[in-house]
Each structure stands twice: as C-alpha cells, then as structure tokens.
Coordinates of all heavy atoms in Angstrom, one line a residue:
Y1 N -5.7 25.2 6.9 CA -5.1 23.9 7.0 C -5.3 23.1 5.7 O -6.2 23.4 4.9 CB -5.6 23.1 8.2 CG -7.1 22.7 8.2 CD1 -7.5 21.6 7.5 CD2 -7.9 23.5 8.9 CE1 -8.9 21.3 7.6 CE2 -9.3 23.2 8.9 CZ -9.8 22.1 8.3 OH -11.1 21.8 8.3
A2 N -4.5 22.1 5.5 CA -4.7 21.2 4.4 C -4.6 19.8 5.0 O -3.7 19.5 5.8 CB -3.6 21.4 3.3
E3 N -5.4 18.9 4.5 CA -5.4 17.5 5.0 C -5.7 16.6 3.8 O -6.4 16.9 2.9 CB -6.5 17.3 6.1 CG -7.9 17.5 5.6 CD -9.0 17.3 6.7 OE1 -8.6 16.7 7.7 OE2 -10.1 17.8 6.5
T4 N -5.0 15.4 3.9 CA -5.2 14.5 2.8 C -5.1 13.1 3.4 O -4.4 12.8 4.4 CB -4.1 14.7 1.7 OG1 -4.4 13.9 0.6 CG2 -2.7 14.5 2.2
R5 N -5.8 12.1 2.7 CA -5.9 10.8 3.2 C -6.0 9.8 2.1 O -6.6 10.1 1.0 CB -7.1 10.7 4.1 CG -7.3 9.3 4.8 CD -8.8 9.0 5.1 NE -9.4 10.0 6.0 CZ -9.5 9.9 7.3 NH1 -9.1 8.8 7.9 NH2 -10.1 10.9 8.0
M6 N -5.4 8.6 2.2 CA -5.6 7.5 1.4 C -6.0 6.3 2.2 O -5.3 6.0 3.2 CB -4.3 7.2 0.6 CG -4.4 6.0 -0.4 SD -5.5 6.3 -1.7 CE -4.6 7.4 -2.7
R7 N -7.1 5.7 1.8 CA -7.5 4.6 2.7 C -8.1 3.4 1.9 O -8.6 3.6 0.8 CB -8.5 5.1 3.7 CG -9.7 5.8 3.2 CD -10.6 6.3 4.3 NE -11.5 7.3 3.9 CZ -12.4 7.9 4.7 NH1 -12.5 7.4 5.9 NH2 -13.2 8.8 4.3
T8 N -8.0 2.2 2.4 CA -8.6 1.1 1.9 C -9.5 0.4 3.0 O -9.7 1.0 4.0 CB -7.5 0.1 1.4 OG1 -6.8 -0.4 2.5 CG2 -6.6 0.7 0.4
F9 N -10.0 -0.8 2.7 CA -10.7 -1.5 3.7 C -9.9 -1.8 4.9 O -10.4 -1.8 6.1 CB -11.3 -2.8 3.1 CG -12.1 -3.6 4.0 CD1 -13.4 -3.3 4.4 CD2 -11.6 -4.8 4.6 CE1 -14.2 -4.0 5.2 CE2 -12.4 -5.6 5.5 CZ -13.6 -5.2 5.8
Q10 N -8.6 -2.0 4.8 CA -7.7 -2.4 5.8 C -6.8 -1.4 6.4 O -6.3 -1.4 7.5 CB -6.9 -3.6 5.4 CG -6.1 -4.4 6.5 CD -5.3 -5.5 6.0 OE1 -4.7 -5.4 5.0 NE2 -5.3 -6.6 6.7
S11 N -6.4 -0.4 5.6 CA -5.4 0.6 5.9 C -5.9 2.0 5.8 O -6.8 2.3 5.0 CB -4.1 0.4 5.1 OG -3.7 -0.9 5.2
S12 N -5.3 2.9 6.5 CA -5.6 4.4 6.3 C -4.3 5.2 6.6 O -3.7 5.0 7.7 CB -6.7 4.8 7.3 OG -7.0 6.2 7.2
E13 N -4.0 6.1 5.7 CA -2.9 7.0 5.9 C -3.4 8.4 5.9 O -4.0 8.8 4.8 CB -1.8 6.8 4.9 CG -1.2 5.4 4.9 CD -0.4 5.1 6.2 OE1 0.3 6.1 6.7 OE2 -0.5 4.0 6.7
Y14 N -3.2 9.2 6.9 CA -3.8 10.6 7.0 C -2.8 11.5 7.4 O -1.9 11.3 8.3 CB -5.0 10.5 8.0 CG -5.5 11.9 8.4 CD1 -6.6 12.4 7.7 CD2 -5.0 12.6 9.5 CE1 -7.1 13.7 8.0 CE2 -5.5 13.9 9.8 CZ -6.6 14.4 9.1 OH -7.2 15.6 9.4
M15 N -2.8 12.7 6.8 CA -1.9 13.8 7.2 C -2.6 15.2 7.2 O -3.3 15.5 6.2 CB -0.7 13.9 6.2 CG 0.3 15.0 6.6 SD 1.9 14.8 5.8 CE 1.5 15.1 4.1
L16 N -2.4 15.9 8.3 CA -3.0 17.3 8.4 C -1.8 18.2 8.7 O -0.9 17.9 9.5 CB -3.9 17.3 9.6 CG -4.3 18.7 10.1 CD1 -5.3 19.3 9.1 CD2 -4.9 18.6 11.5
V17 N -1.8 19.3 7.9 CA -0.8 20.4 8.2 C -1.6 21.7 8.5 O -2.5 22.1 7.6 CB 0.1 20.6 7.0 CG1 1.0 21.9 7.3 CG2 1.0 19.4 6.8
Y18 N -1.4 22.3 9.6 CA -2.3 23.4 10.1 C -1.4 24.6 10.4 O -0.4 24.5 11.2 CB -3.0 23.0 11.4 CG -4.2 23.8 11.7 CD1 -5.4 23.1 12.0 CD2 -4.2 25.1 11.8 CE1 -6.6 23.8 12.3 CE2 -5.4 25.9 12.1 CZ -6.6 25.2 12.3 OH -7.7 25.9 12.6
A19 N -1.6 25.7 9.8 CA -1.0 27.0 10.1 C -2.0 27.9 10.7 O -2.8 28.5 10.0 CB -0.3 27.6 8.8
P20 N -2.0 28.1 12.0 CA -3.1 28.9 12.7 C -3.1 30.4 12.3 O -4.1 31.0 12.2 CB -2.8 28.6 14.2 CG -2.0 27.4 14.2 CD -1.1 27.5 13.0
F21 N -1.9 31.0 12.2 CA -1.9 32.5 12.1 C -0.7 33.1 11.5 O -0.7 34.2 11.0 CB -2.1 33.1 13.5 CG -0.9 33.2 14.3 CD1 -0.2 34.4 14.5 CD2 -0.5 32.1 15.0 CE1 0.9 34.4 15.3 CE2 0.7 32.1 15.8 CZ 1.3 33.3 15.9
I22 N 0.5 32.4 11.4 CA 1.7 33.0 10.8 C 2.6 32.0 10.2 O 2.7 30.8 10.7 CB 2.4 33.8 11.9 CG1 3.6 34.6 11.3 CG2 3.0 32.9 13.0 CD1 4.3 35.5 12.3
W23 N 3.2 32.3 9.0 CA 4.1 31.5 8.3 C 3.5 30.2 8.0 O 2.3 30.1 7.8 CB 5.4 31.3 9.1 CG 6.6 30.7 8.3 CD1 7.5 29.8 8.7 CD2 7.0 31.0 6.9 NE1 8.4 29.5 7.7 CE2 8.1 30.2 6.6 CE3 6.4 31.8 5.9 CZ2 8.7 30.2 5.3 CZ3 7.0 31.8 4.6 CH2 8.2 31.0 4.4
G24 N 4.2 29.0 7.9 CA 3.6 27.8 7.5 C 4.5 26.6 7.5 O 5.6 26.7 8.1

C-alpha cells in the first residue's frame, strides 16, 4: 500500500491506496 497525508493544526487530508494481492 501507499499512503500520504498533509496536515496542519486545524486540518488533515489523508489518502491510502491498498492492493492486497492482484493488479492495482
């Protein structure tokens, strides 16, 4: 998986993309 986040004191934006076993 790949995950990325941008956050401040007031806000947070998070995204995770997970490929368990095939393709993507």
Side-chain angles (χ1 to χ4, degrees):
Y1 62 86
E3 60 181 343
T4 187
R5 182 204 304 260
M6 180 66 71
R7 53 183 163 176
T8 67
F9 180 74
Q10 191 182 39
S11 304
S12 176
E13 299 295 321
Y14 172 90
M15 180 165 67
L16 166 76
V17 175
Y18 202 129
F21 78 104
I22 188 174
W23 194 219

